[in-house]
Amino acid sequence: MSMLTPPGMGGKYRITGDRYPRMRRPRGRRRLAFTAFGSVMVLGLVGWGTLQLIDVFSGGGDGDRVRAAHGTEDCKRGDKLRDEHPKTDRPARTALPKPAQITVNVYNATPRSGLAKDTADELKKRGFKIGEVGNASATYDKKVKAPGMLLGAPTAAQGAFDVLRTQLAGAQTKNDARKGKDIDLIIGSGFKNLVKQKDADKALAALAKPSPAPSGSACR
């Protein structure tokens, strides 16, 4: 056997010149290794994607948990402040005057006679105090197009106007320089009737109802 003959060839092959057979590993094992590696990668990606979908549809995720934790702490601090300072939680609303506390002067600015007296009588039945009754001054006579106009001092806007407007839909309001608490109701050309008493009572009850407190649902 030649010295250039690879061991194990048994002299079957003889190497001559500068060419000789090369030993190669079987290709089947290499393919199997790549296939197994690729399968592991695909399974890993599928599992990761599944976890991401679960987080999305379940509203999970570290960011959501962190925000929820901070929100809970903020709510606790807010509750503590409200307990320590209950008066500053919600500003108190000024109580509305009752109809018996409002004096109404009724003036007729339309050509319809007797309208001021009839309106004053109805308002009296509903609990309002009635002052002067008659025709409107030249400043407003036949110049009020709305159903009515309410005139009063700036303080009348702090409830008295609102209470009286429950009786006359579409009434305008205007302040003047008077010092008293009485209010002028000037009946305009758009006037038809006062609001029905049952509807006016409902509107007055809703007006007197305090504003609901914040639900605080964000802290639940």
Side-chain angles (χ1 to χ4, degrees), residues 32 40 50 125 133 162 177 210:
L32 181 60
V40 172
T50 302
K125 291 179 183 178
V133 178
D162 294 331

Side-chain angles (χ1 to χ4, degrees), residues 168-197:
L168 179 58
Q172 299 175 343
T173 59
K174 184 178 179 180
N175 296 124
D176 54 18
R178 75 183 65 192
K179 300 297 183 181
K181 296 182 179 180
D182 59 322
I183 297 176
D184 293 349
L185 168 56
I186 303 175
I187 302 173
S189 58
F191 178 86
K192 293 182 179 180
N193 291 296
L194 292 175
V195 175
K196 292 182 179 181
Q197 185 170 357

Side-chain angles (χ1 to χ4, degrees), residues 31-104:
R31 291 175 181 172
L32 181 60
F34 280 117
T35 302
F37 179 75
S39 299
V40 172
M41 291 295 294
V42 170
L43 290 175
L45 290 174
V46 170
W48 181 81
T50 302
L51 291 176
Q52 293 298 315
L53 289 175
I54 291 174
D55 285 342
V56 169
F57 287 104
S58 63
D62 294 337
D64 292 337
R65 286 190 287 270
V66 171
R67 285 191 292 272
H70 283 296
T72 302
E73 292 299 325
D74 290 342
C75 290
K76 289 181 179 179
R77 285 194 293 270
D79 292 340
K80 183 178 180 181
L81 288 175
R82 282 191 290 272
D83 293 338
E84 294 175 353
H85 307 283
K87 293 183 179 180
T88 61
D89 185 18
R90 292 184 298 274
R93 179 176 178 177
T94 303
L96 293 172
K98 299 183 181 299
Q101 297 174 311
I102 301 176
T103 299
V104 184

Side-chain angles (χ1 to χ4, degrees), residues 137-157:
S137 63
T139 304
Y140 298 102
D141 188 30
K142 300 180 180 62
K143 297 178 182 179
V144 178
K145 305 300 181 183
M149 177 179 290
L150 306 181
L151 292 177
T155 55

